[in-house]
Amino acid sequence: MKRIGVLTSGGDAPGMNACIRAVVRAADSCGLETMGINRGYHGLINGDVTRLDRRACANIIHQGGTVLGTARSPEFRTREGRARAIEVIKQWGIEGLVLIGGDGTFRGGSVLASEYPVKIVGVPGTIDNDVYGSDFSIGFDTAVNSALQAIDKIRDTALSLERLFFVEVMGHHTGFIALECGIAGGAEELLIPEVPTSIEELCERLRQGFDSGKRSAIVVVAEAEQPGISFRIADEVRDRLGLDSRVVILGHIQRGGSPTARDRVLASKLGMTAVETLVSGRDACMVGEIRGEIACSPLQDTWEKKKQLHPDLKKLGELFSGRKAFPAMTEGR
Ligand code: ATP
């Protein structure tokens, strides 16, 4: 193998640049050339390819977003689109591809690899942390910390004005971001898709909290593929409890910003491992980290298997929102 390509695809995530940099440096140390493919599969189809060397990756490790750009490419879903991408791969002599993105990106890469013999290795890069095969994906830690900073600020005003706030965070169809920033931010309530909560239950617990002397509360809501759902929940709570509230949708500020140290280190480790994996002849897998160790999973696991919340964190979230009484805690009372 003499030349590989690297692309970022799907939603951008802080730490993608650290991963690109590690790919280039690892490839360089193995005597491989790296081609950077701009704007994900869109760039691959259109031949938007540039040589990346160590200099091209200088001073990017601290930058959010992705210097390669990213895109969603409907054309790549078609055989004609992928045929054009294959022509570009042939033209540039690319023998292996490092795909930084989510399960959609890996699925697209697998279809491509079934039509042309290019080796592919995936690296999980998404703030949502919903990719099976890695405890954490690149960008998640930064997104949680960005959301947490916002929650801390909102708590100041919630306390001062004695108000109920609904803070809606991203997470695609999962509650990974909501669970971690809710626990760390001391949220009174967590609404995540993995733990269904009726409006009656929510109102009852909020009522109990306010009856017991609380004057403000923060409810962290996972958008769960219904961005803006917090407005409807806030309206229902007002109608049932007569409680006025404010809704804050954190939105895309969770995607941006300089990556945390944890994301930079994870991204660097996975970028290096992706190149090592290609060089060793393995492919069609995703490199991730499970319990602190590097782990390679079959690429198809990422779209066939569903990643679960960590049970201890889920339990903690339930405990903090007063959802459950644990036997160990109630014994002897
Ligand atoms: P995120 O989690 O941030 O949304 P993702 O990688 O899951 O990231 P998608 O938009 O689902 O994001 O996929 C990225 C791109 O991968 C798509 O725009 C499309 O070009 C390609 N892709 C996804 N699924 C397929 C598929 N079944 N066949 C071919 N290409 C696909």
Side-chain angles (χ1 to χ4, degrees), residues 9-11 41 72-73 76-77 102-105 107-108 111 126:
S9 163
Y41 293 130
R72 303 196 197 265
S73 168
F76 193 77
R77 292 177 184 271
D103 61 328
T105 297
R107 199 165 188 163
V111 180
T126 165

Side-chain angles (χ1 to χ4, degrees), residues 259-325:
T260 58
R262 202 168 131 187
D263 267 333
R264 296 183 203 189
V265 172
L266 175 71
S268 301
K269 238 160 97 172
L270 298 185
M272 176 188 75
T273 309
V275 173
E276 285 174 351
T277 304
L278 282 175
V279 169
S280 73
R282 281 192 71 180
D283 82 324
C285 62
M286 184 195 80
V287 294
E289 197 184 65
I290 297 178
R291 287 182 219 94
E293 301 288 334
I294 293 292
C296 278
S297 322
L299 221 40
Q300 70 188 49
D301 279 2
T302 64
W303 65 86
E304 283 183 359
K305 296 187 179 172
K306 185 170 162 50
K307 184 174 166 184
Q308 305 294 328
L309 296 176
H310 193 289
D312 292 342
L313 285 187
K314 192 172 163 200
K315 190 169 148 188
L316 197 55
E318 289 174 332
L319 169 70
F320 285 171
S321 57
R323 228 172 272 255
K324 264 194 183 154

Side-chain angles (χ1 to χ4, degrees), residues 41-331:
Y41 293 130
H42 180 75
L44 191 59
I45 288 172
N46 293 292
D48 191 356
V49 176
T50 44
R51 172 86 208 279
L52 288 181
D53 58 14
R54 291 167 76 102
R55 289 257 38 86
C57 297
N59 303 314
I60 63 169
I61 195 165
H62 63 294
Q63 289 176 24
T66 157
V67 291
L68 288 176
T70 182
R72 303 196 197 265
S73 168
E75 205 182 345
F76 193 77
R77 292 177 184 271
T78 66
R79 192 171 263 280
E80 298 71 34
R82 291 191 301 276
R84 285 179 61 193
I86 288 168
E87 284 313 307
V88 173
I89 290 172
K90 283 187 194 164
Q91 179 196 336
W92 287 97
I94 293 170
E95 294 163 83
L97 278 174
V98 176
L99 310 172
I100 308 169
D103 61 328
T105 297
F106 305 151
R107 199 165 188 163
S110 295
V111 180
L112 178 81
S114 71
E115 292 167 349
Y116 181 75
V118 61
K119 295 198 179 303
I120 52 166
V121 171
V123 180
T126 165
I127 64 165
D128 302 329
N129 202 32
D130 59 347
V131 182
Y132 186 92
S134 188
D135 288 344
F136 300 104
S137 58
I138 297 167
F140 172 66
D141 189 57
T142 308
V144 168
N145 279 286
S146 297
L148 179 60
Q149 280 180 10
I151 290 169
D152 287 348
K153 289 175 185 169
I154 290 164
R155 189 170 289 285
D156 289 343
T157 182
L159 277 169
S160 305
L161 279 167
E162 301 187 340
R163 240 192 200 126
L164 168 64
F165 272 79
F166 292 88
V167 183
E168 187 173 303
V169 299
M170 284 183 162
H172 201 201
H173 51 271
T174 65
F176 287 96
I177 296 178
L179 183 59
E180 291 216 8
C181 69
I183 290 172
E188 274 70 16
E189 280 294 332
L190 275 171
L191 300 181
I192 55 177
E194 293 85 348
V195 182
T197 306
S198 68
I199 196 76
E200 289 81 11
E201 282 175 72
L202 172 69
C203 287
E204 179 53 23
R205 284 200 299 273
L206 285 174
R207 191 190 55 72
Q208 284 173 9
F210 280 89
D211 283 355
S212 71
K214 258 187 192 305
R215 294 186 182 279
S216 66
I218 292 182
V219 180
V220 171
V221 183
E223 67 177 10
E225 291 190 293
Q226 299 179 69
I229 187 166
S230 301
F231 287 105
R232 190 168 60 72
I233 297 170
D235 284 349
E236 293 218 29
V237 168
R238 187 201 50 227
D239 292 348
R240 285 165 189 257
L241 298 182
L243 268 178
D244 193 21
S245 64
R246 293 288 180 273
V247 173
V248 181
I249 312 270
L250 295 186
H252 285 80
I253 62 163
Q254 294 160 95
R255 272 193 196 281
S258 184
T260 58
R262 202 168 131 187
D263 267 333
R264 296 183 203 189
V265 172
L266 175 71
S268 301
K269 238 160 97 172
L270 298 185
M272 176 188 75
T273 309
V275 173
E276 285 174 351
T277 304
L278 282 175
V279 169
S280 73
R282 281 192 71 180
D283 82 324
C285 62
M286 184 195 80
V287 294
E289 197 184 65
I290 297 178
R291 287 182 219 94
E293 301 288 334
I294 293 292
C296 278
S297 322
L299 221 40
Q300 70 188 49
D301 279 2
T302 64
W303 65 86
E304 283 183 359
K305 296 187 179 172
K306 185 170 162 50
K307 184 174 166 184
Q308 305 294 328
L309 296 176
H310 193 289
D312 292 342
L313 285 187
K314 192 172 163 200
K315 190 169 148 188
L316 197 55
E318 289 174 332
L319 169 70
F320 285 171
S321 57
R323 228 172 272 255
K324 264 194 183 154
F326 293 96
M329 299 174 65
T330 49
E331 260 170 29

